[in-house]
Amino acid sequence: MIHKKIATRIMLALSLGVVWNAAGATDSDSTDDHTVIITEHDYWDGRIDGPYENGSTVIIKGGKGDEVQGGYDTHGYSANDNTVIIDGKDSHYSLITGGRSISQEAYRNVVDFKSGNVSDEIIGGEGSHYGNENKVIIREDGKTGYGIAVFGGDSRIHSDKNEVIIYGNQIYDDVVGGSVEVWDDTYVPQTSAINNTVSINGPITVNGDIMGGIIMNDRSGKIFKDIPFERLKQGNILNINTFGVTAGNIYNFENINFNLPKQLEDKAMLTLTKNEATDLTGSKIVAHVAGDTNVTGPTKIVLLDKKQGELIMKDATTRNQLTVTQGVSRVTSLKMQTEDNDIVLYINGKPATDTTDPATKPDETTKPDKPATDTTDPETKSDETTKPDTPSNNTDSVFHHGDPLMEQTKSLVETAVAMASFTNKGADSVAETMASSVKAAIAKNNGNDSPFFNSTMFALKYKTGSHIKTYGSTTQIGFGMQREKANGTVTFAPFMEYGIGKYSSLVDSGVRGDGDIHNFGGGMLVRYDTNTGAYYEGALRVGRISGDYRGVFTVGGPQAVSFDSDATYVTAHAGVGYVKPLSDTTTLDTYGTYFYSHTGGDTVRLSTGETHDFDAVDSHRLRVGTRYTKDFSNYQSIYAGLGVEHEFDGEAIAYYDGASTPSPRLKGTSGLIELGWSHNVGKARSTYQQIGVTGWFGRERGITAHANFGWVF
């Protein structure tokens, strides 16, 4: 029971006749000023503390003792950012605390229980005023004594944003995300135990309860139940990620997620054994099925098995929040239902051997002695108690073809948009600066064919209905050739190119995606400059582009998602312009350019199991602008320009099992302002350099910078 925590504290206080600082122990090692490693010896008459109140690490590889604390303060300071690692199979300790302050806060402390033995309590962080953002991890080889209690955070006022993660077959007394223990009932209105998370990743037995938060009187043991939602239940999450979890009861969770393993088992995921009510009023309950779970026939999954007592789900919000999700892609048409005081899920209809008729229980609040005058046929009800073997449900499953995809799947497709924008930046580099780079190289070589180098760096933000940020560079290396004609000059420039960068996306649902992008390809630039000042330019590029995605979706608890994508890209541009001399040293270049790019589609498999078909992204852009150039000498010049660009398309979309994702797109109008400088454009020296910067605003925001240089052998 939770009361054991009080008794444990009293017993430890009586037994600790000696306070031992492990930093001075002869059988300990210190890797630095903040780390202590205990390898042997018994500390039954003392306590092991880290050397500092903040930022200490205590690593237990052996020995026995009463209490271990990563950081401990008794002088009015905090105990933050401490770590205790228990990793000795023969070690045996009673109480483990990541960090403890008797008069201030305990933030971001961690207990990582990898192996060994703990007999009484594990507490992530314990503070007087705040016990927030602490974490306890109990791994499969961490052995606990019968009836051990686990607390993510503990304090006198606030225990918020703590996390408990448990693996393996263990028996516990209570498991609590955040615990508040007041000395006087008058302090209760100031308290909170919210936004805590408890994740169970292996079959365990909890003789007591699993609680998102609890507020109690430390002296009397009284548990306060009539606490407002926003101070005790709000944001608390329970993740059941395995079959075979048993507990007395569960309390104070706003979100309860049943994340079904790929390998389904014929047992309940969570069994509650206490003969008392389980009140889920106001809770949002989600069953999350892996995207590649293969169910060949009708299957019944018991998510919550309530052995004794009443299962209370009174409000419509709770009943409507019985949701089933497939991978991270969709909320399915089939909903969970209550049946015989349990919460169950049928996949592919009702098994033929299952004779239970859930329609005998219209909903969880209907009284068994319902008046005979009520002639409502429960089979006609449309809520979660509809018979699973009626025609409407026989065709429903968590894999129902065509169910709409969740809004957050837009984050996946932002990768395709980022890859398309990256492809476009390579085309811009060719159109904006390559021709001048090639002409400068040839000029340096007295009009002879010459190698050249052209590079552009960029940091840009795109509005796509949400937004994408891209960072990177693209580089072209090629060989320039120039031929004189009767009415002008033709320039040819075959080249190879390579680009590398990163992107991040943030969609309205709050999901952020990050990834890397790189491309490799080649192309040809052709330009014809007439003797009258008019010019015509075109280029073609072909290559391969690769991108990856990393993100965390908020469905069925936090779900890490990743995938890799590869595609072929093809771009082309055609432009026309006119260079008008304004004086002997100044010119005005007015131009218009059309850009087309095609970034191919791909079939990708998400780490959560689903396979998405990404459609190709086609971009059509039209840019017009003018550039003013001033020559200061035969060797130096500067330029400044203005322009406007409109994207007509750039839409990205993916398909999954007959449904499509939301569609971000690059469509919109952007403006540009550019400024640049060239050096050694003349023939006096064997090298040339050009640098420039362009600022973008509107749909596309940010900066691109280019650097062109070359040399003549």
Side-chain angles (χ1 to χ4, degrees):
M1 294 297 172
I2 197 75
H3 306 320
K4 182 180 178 181
K5 186 173 189 299
I6 302 173
T8 300
R9 279 295 186 199
I10 295 173
M11 293 300 295
L12 284 172
L14 294 175
S15 66
L16 294 178
V18 178
V19 177
W20 186 285
N21 187 322
T26 58
D27 58 345
S28 69
D29 300 316
S30 179
T31 58
D32 55 47
D33 289 343
H34 287 263
T35 301
V36 172
I37 301 175
I38 303 297
T39 56
E40 57 183 17
H41 200 70
D42 292 346
Y43 295 90
W44 289 118
D45 294 326
R47 183 183 65 237
I48 300 170
D49 296 333
Y52 295 97
E53 298 90 350
N54 296 284
S56 294
T57 298
V58 176
I59 301 174
I60 303 294
K61 293 188 175 181
K64 301 176 182 179
D66 284 318
E67 187 172 1
V68 178
Q69 297 180 146
Y72 180 47
D73 174 71
T74 60
H75 306 292
Y77 298 103
S78 61
N80 301 332
D81 303 300
N82 302 288
T83 300
V84 175
I85 300 174
I86 310 295
D87 193 13
K89 65 178 182 179
D90 296 324
S91 63
H92 195 143
Y93 293 84
S94 298
L95 173 61
I96 308 296
T97 306
R100 184 186 178 202
S101 171
I102 64 171
S103 60
Q104 293 295 324
E105 72 271 8
Y107 276 83
R108 299 178 301 277
N109 300 286
V110 176
V111 174
D112 190 350
F113 187 16
K114 296 181 177 180
S115 65
N117 299 271
V118 176
S119 58
D120 289 310
E121 290 182 4
I122 299 177
I123 305 171
E126 182 177 359
S128 175
H129 295 82
Y130 297 90
N132 295 352
E133 302 177 35
N134 303 289
K135 179 183 289 188
V136 172
I137 307 171
I138 304 178
R139 305 183 190 273
E140 292 180 347
D141 291 334
K143 306 301 180 183
T144 55
Y146 187 89
I148 186 174
V150 180
F151 302 86
D154 182 47
S155 80
R156 300 292 181 187
I157 301 177
H158 300 288
S159 289
D160 306 330
K161 298 182 181 179
N162 300 290
E163 185 174 9
V164 176
I165 305 172
I166 299 178
Y167 303 82
N169 296 280
Q170 301 292 334
I171 297 176
Y172 299 88
D173 188 348
D174 292 298
V175 176
V176 185
S179 170
V180 174
E181 301 172 64
V182 299
W183 285 352
D184 189 292
D185 291 6
T186 58
Y187 290 101
V188 172
Q190 305 174 36
T191 59
S192 67
I194 57 175
N195 298 316
N196 301 292
T197 300
V198 176
S199 299
I200 310 298
N201 298 320
I204 65 170
T205 298
V206 180
N207 288 330
D209 304 313
I210 302 175
M211 290 169 275
I214 186 172
I215 299 174
M216 62 181 293
N217 187 300
D218 190 19
R219 297 175 177 177
S220 67
K222 176 184 176 182
I223 297 175
F224 300 96
K225 297 182 178 180
D226 296 326
I227 304 295
F229 172 88
E230 61 273 13
R231 291 200 291 110
L232 185 58
K233 193 171 185 178
Q234 179 176 289
N236 289 334
I237 301 171
L238 173 62
N239 296 316
I240 303 295
N241 303 325
T242 184
F243 289 90
V245 177
T246 299
N249 210 343
I250 57 175
Y251 290 100
N252 301 325
F253 289 103
E254 179 183 10
N255 301 285
I256 302 173
N257 302 312
F258 294 95
N259 300 312
L260 280 70
K262 294 180 181 180
Q263 187 62 44
L264 304 180
E265 299 181 30
D266 187 21
K267 63 176 69 171
M269 294 192 71
L270 174 62
T271 300
L272 302 180
T273 59
K274 280 189 177 180
N275 188 12
E276 60 186 28
T278 299
D279 190 351
L280 302 183
T281 301
S283 296
K284 302 167 187 172
I285 303 173
V286 175
H288 179 74
V289 182
D292 55 351
T293 298
N294 184 20
V295 179
T296 57
T299 303
K300 176 182 178 181
I301 305 296
V302 179
L303 304 174
L304 189 153
D305 182 5
K306 177 67 173 167
K307 292 295 187 183
Q308 304 179 78
E310 184 181 6
L311 181 63
I312 303 174
M313 299 168 62
K314 292 180 179 179
D315 62 327
T317 300
T318 300
R319 293 196 299 274
N320 293 335
Q321 292 289 351
L322 293 173
T323 306
V324 182
T325 67
Q326 181 180 355
V328 295
S329 299
R330 66 158 45 119
V331 175
T332 70
S333 57
L334 179 63
K335 293 186 177 181
M336 290 175 280
Q337 60 190 50
T338 55
E339 179 180 299
D340 292 338
N341 220 30
D342 299 336
I343 299 177
V344 301
L345 169 66
Y346 285 101
I347 302 177
N348 294 335
K350 183 178 178 182
T353 57
D354 191 334
T355 59
T356 305
D357 184 2
T360 60
K361 186 177 181 181
D363 67 57
E364 62 277 3
T365 60
T366 303
K367 294 182 179 180
D369 56 348
K370 183 178 169 180
T373 56
D374 188 342
T375 59
T376 302
D377 182 359
E379 291 189 16
T380 65
K381 292 185 180 288
S382 59
D383 64 9
E384 68 278 359
T385 59
T386 303
K387 284 187 178 181
D389 57 346
T390 59
S392 63
N393 272 354
N394 268 338
T395 58
D396 269 342
S397 78
V398 293
F399 312 106
H400 183 63
H401 181 76
D403 283 335
L405 303 186
M406 288 183 282
E407 179 68 23
Q408 62 188 2
T409 57
K410 181 180 181 180
S411 178
L412 306 174
V413 197
E414 297 280 17
T415 304
V417 177
M419 292 169 66
S421 68
F422 202 86
T423 299
N424 287 348
K425 282 298 105 183
D428 288 351
S429 180
V430 172
E432 293 169 1
T433 61
M434 183 182 289
S436 61
S437 182
V438 172
K439 292 169 71 175
I442 294 173
K444 291 299 300 176
N445 202 20
N446 297 311
N448 297 316
D449 300 343
S450 180
F452 67 89
F453 173 92
N454 187 67
S455 183
T456 300
M457 297 171 288
F458 53 88
L460 295 165
K461 180 178 179 179
Y462 297 87
K463 293 182 179 180
T464 62
S466 43
H467 72 257
I468 296 175
K469 295 180 180 179
T470 61
Y471 316 85
S473 65
T474 179
T475 300
Q476 295 85 29
I477 300 176
F479 196 76
M481 298 170 283
Q482 190 167 280
R483 302 294 181 262
E484 296 293 335
K485 301 296 180 181
N487 298 319
T489 304
V490 179
T491 304
F492 303 90
F495 60 88
M496 302 295 290
E497 67 176 355
Y498 178 74
I500 186 169
K502 295 180 178 294
Y503 77 93
S504 63
S505 62
L506 183 64
V507 297
D508 294 338
S509 61
V511 177
R512 173 178 169 140
D514 294 275
D516 300 309
I517 298 177
H518 66 271
N519 74 285
F520 179 79
M524 171 70 78
L525 171 72
V526 179
R527 176 171 170 131
Y528 177 45
D529 289 276
T530 70
N531 295 331
T532 63
Y535 63 87
Y536 309 91
E537 180 181 294
L540 177 68
R541 301 165 57 239
V542 179
R544 293 285 291 177
I545 186 166
S546 301
D548 59 33
Y549 175 90
R550 302 177 300 275
V552 177
F553 282 27
T554 53
V555 53
Q559 297 287 329
V561 186
S562 62
F563 66 84
D564 298 315
S565 180
D566 298 279
T568 298
Y569 67 86
V570 178
T571 76
H573 82 261
V576 61
Y578 179 74
V579 179
K580 180 180 179 180
L582 301 179
S583 70
D584 292 341
T585 59
T586 59
T587 59
L588 187 66
D589 180 358
T590 303
Y591 62 88
T593 307
Y594 166 75
F595 297 87
Y596 168 74
S597 73
H598 173 87
T599 307
D602 190 18
T603 298
V604 304
R605 181 178 176 83
L606 308 187
S607 58
T608 51
E610 306 99 294
T611 298
H612 284 244
D613 293 316
F614 282 70
D615 209 351
V617 180
D618 291 311
S619 170
H620 301 269
R621 295 179 292 150
L622 182 62
R623 183 188 303 174
V624 294
T626 186
R627 177 185 289 181
Y628 174 86
T629 301
K630 169 71 174 177
D631 296 329
F632 285 97
S633 68
N634 290 333
Y635 312 118
Q636 298 190 64
S637 65
I638 63 170
Y639 70 84
L642 297 171
V644 62
E645 177 182 287
H646 183 76
E647 167 68 72
F648 295 90
D649 194 358
E651 181 181 39
I653 192 169
Y655 299 91
Y656 171 62
D657 193 26
S660 61
T661 64
S663 304
R665 61 170 56 192
L666 294 169
K667 183 177 180 180
T669 301
S670 305
L672 66 91
I673 302 175
E674 59 179 348
L675 182 67
W677 168 79
S678 298
H679 186 237
N680 290 339
V681 177
K683 301 179 181 179
R685 304 175 68 176
S686 61
T687 62
Y688 69 88
Q689 303 89 35
Q690 296 177 334
I691 60 174
V693 62
T694 303
W696 293 84
F697 55 93
R699 171 194 59 87
E700 182 177 352
R701 300 180 181 180
I703 296 176
T704 63
H706 70 265
N708 315 320
F709 63 85
W711 59 95
V712 178
F713 300 99

